[in-house]
Amino acid sequence: MKEVIQYRTQGTCSKLIEAVIEDNKVCEVRFTGGCNGNLKGISSLVKGMDVDEVIERLQGIQCGDKNTSCPDQFARCLIEYKSRKPVISQS
């Protein structure tokens, strides 16, 4: 089942991230605001990637003297998404 998530960013030029997740994979991601070309590149690179791998690769990236960045904000978006998901135990 595809899920659409939205995340209001903090501390970056982009203001909103919208993503579509299916089977723990990023199907699509769009950034509102920010550096258009760079964010289109990030969106293209993460398409089809596992959510956990995206978090691992993007979390903690900084932009200039900021303690965050658009990629880091996307990782935070995915962490928040995962925290809301029920954990299904496999026996």
Side-chain angles (χ1 to χ4, degrees):
M1 176 173 83
K2 288 186 180 181
E3 296 182 71
V4 178
I5 57 175
Q6 291 188 334
Y7 183 82
R8 296 230 175 260
T9 61
Q10 296 179 12
T12 60
C13 298
S14 67
K15 299 299 176 203
L16 180 71
I17 299 171
E18 297 174 284
V20 179
I21 310 295
E22 182 176 28
D23 298 327
N24 208 49
K25 303 258 188 243
V26 176
C27 298
E28 185 178 344
V29 61
R30 286 185 304 275
F31 293 82
T32 301
C35 304
N36 189 39
N38 290 335
L39 295 174
K40 283 181 181 176
I42 291 167
S43 298
S44 180
L45 289 170
V46 300
K47 188 174 183 176
M49 284 179 65
D50 184 82
V51 166
D52 296 310
E53 184 176 358
V54 174
I55 292 168
E56 183 179 320
R57 290 177 180 236
L58 300 183
Q59 187 176 25
I61 292 174
Q62 297 181 328
C63 182
D65 62 354
K66 299 176 186 175
N67 65 356
T68 190
S69 65
C70 293
D72 180 61
Q73 288 292 300
F74 185 45
R76 293 179 191 198
C77 166
L78 294 175
I79 290 166
E80 182 179 290
Y81 160 75
K82 285 186 60 170
S83 74
R84 294 190 315 240
K85 300 287 292 173
V87 175
I88 300 171
S89 176
Q90 301 276 332
S91 300

